[in-house]
Amino acid sequence: MIRVESLTRTYGDLTAVDQVSFEIGTGEIVGLLGHNGAGKTTIMKMLTGYLEPTGGYIEINGLDISTKRATVQRQIGYLPENDPLYYEMTVIDYLDYAATLHGVPDAERTDRIREAIAQTELSSKATDAIGTLSRGFCQRVGVAQAILHNPRVLILDEPTNGLDPTQVQHMRDLIRSMAEHATVILSTHILQEVQAICTRVIIIHDGRKVLDSTMDELLTGKRLQVAVDAKPERAIKMLSSVDGVVSVEPVSQRGPGNRYVLDLGNDGDPAEAAHIVASRIATEGWKLYALQPERRDLEQIFSEISAVEQAYSG
Ligand code: ATP
């Protein structure tokens, strides 16, 4: 569990993180999304206790990071943006060293290292020097050290950066399995990445939080699609009179019935509106062929995000 309140960080005159607040529970995989320089890395460094906030409050698993930093850090797995690996060390020696830093008890050390190597599919490289590994394998070593101590909070700065498509898939599976027992927060500047793996997205723009939404909310539009067996004039008149429906637009027919898209406005609730529409159609005695919230594609979401970002710029 992560709780952040009014988190702020300045560098001289620059406010890199500006009054950011959020709460993340166990089992959530939250994507911090933002352009280069938005403030994602700065937030992550503060969450892990490696950077002092200028203002605000961070609580990890109920502990105030400003007073319990060492305890908190033992509960966190952190993959930094540019993981400072020791290139002359072998993978296994490096993980042994990382286990010491994480305070893994001696009795558990061998098992934990073996498990982290298996989880990140590093067995074939375990005795290789880190300096001889490809970018993708180095990234896996970084993840192996982050999960070595079974952390309850996992903070991953651009975890799929530099990985090939197979490795990306594997990394996503690994993150999902880690999220069964941990709170996961990862950063990326790619919306597709968030869609593929995250349950929730927080968008950071110029250091500020401009959007915080579950992926389901983000992908479910504020429009309802309905297909009904009624004359268009009567259908449009009735549907327009439903509470919460802002406008009704006929769309080309696919399948049985006449199809309409109901715009519910910015504050619309598709589930509530669907319930009312269904009962009104039943009262009219019309046949209802389809009734579902419109799923938005990434293009539509991108333009909404750009609009939100523009509203916060300047
Ligand atoms: P990227 O996707 O490029 O990694 P980011 O969202 O992680 O970007 P940050 O690295 O957090 O962004 O940077 C936020 C802002 O703070 C940027 O304007 C950056 O130049 C500035 N910044 C970061 N670290 C420092 C520092 N040590 N000194 C001065 N400014 C800094």
Side-chain angles (χ1 to χ4, degrees), residues 2-41:
I2 301 174
R3 193 158 76 83
V4 167
E5 238 172 64
S6 304
L7 189 62
T8 299
R9 171 73 201 197
T10 55
Y11 294 108
D13 289 342
L14 176 84
T15 305
V17 176
D18 193 359
Q19 301 275 336
V20 170
S21 302
F22 54 78
E23 253 187 68
I24 304 176
T26 305
E28 281 196 271
I29 306 177
V30 175
L32 266 192
L33 182 70
H35 296 304
N36 291 132
K40 307 179 296 293
T41 297

Side-chain angles (χ1 to χ4, degrees), residues 9-12 14-17 33-45 51 81 157-158 187-189 204 206-207:
R9 171 73 201 197
T10 55
Y11 294 108
L14 176 84
T15 305
V17 176
L33 182 70
H35 296 304
N36 291 132
K40 307 179 296 293
T41 297
T42 307
I43 290 174
M44 294 193 145
K45 282 184 182 164
L51 185 68
E81 190 175 27
D157 205 344
E158 312 227 1
S187 76
T188 176
H189 49 269
I204 304 294
D206 281 350

Side-chain angles (χ1 to χ4, degrees), residues 152-307:
R152 291 167 61 196
V153 172
L154 202 53
I155 297 176
L156 309 169
D157 205 344
E158 312 227 1
T160 57
N161 196 11
L163 303 188
D164 68 32
T166 315
Q167 292 170 336
V168 166
Q169 195 49 50
H170 176 258
M171 181 68 76
R172 288 174 182 166
D173 292 342
L174 179 61
I175 293 170
R176 276 188 210 103
S177 75
M178 294 297 297
E180 286 169 21
H181 313 285
T183 304
V184 180
I185 179 163
L186 60 91
S187 76
T188 176
H189 49 269
I190 308 164
L191 183 56
Q192 282 88 343
E193 181 70 16
V194 174
Q195 191 197 16
I197 188 168
C198 297
T199 53
R200 177 172 151 203
V201 59
I202 293 176
I203 296 177
I204 304 294
H205 180 70
D206 281 350
R208 284 179 282 178
K209 185 178 88 168
V210 296
L211 196 138
D212 185 346
S213 164
T214 65
M215 283 315 289
D216 259 0
E217 280 167 0
L218 204 60
L219 290 165
T220 305
K222 301 291 182 199
R223 283 155 52 109
L224 264 186
Q225 290 184 350
V226 55
V228 68
D229 177 23
K231 291 254 163 23
E233 314 84 74
R234 288 193 61 203
I236 291 174
K237 191 165 172 224
M238 189 284 272
L239 293 169
S240 304
S241 74
V242 171
D243 251 5
V245 172
V246 174
S247 66
V248 178
E249 187 191 327
V251 289
S252 60
Q253 198 160 348
R254 271 172 296 153
N258 292 320
R259 287 188 167 252
Y260 305 92
V261 170
L262 316 186
D263 190 340
L264 307 174
N266 279 342
D267 300 325
D269 177 350
E272 181 58 23
H275 164 69
I276 302 171
V277 168
S279 66
R280 291 283 301 272
I281 288 173
T283 307
E284 297 285 347
W286 298 339
K287 283 185 189 154
L288 175 62
Y289 293 111
L291 179 60
Q292 72 221 19
E294 197 176 59
R295 297 294 281 180
R296 296 186 298 176
D297 57 25
L298 284 181
E299 283 304 311
Q300 289 169 300
I301 295 171
F302 263 125
S303 42
E304 179 178 308
I305 290 171
S306 304

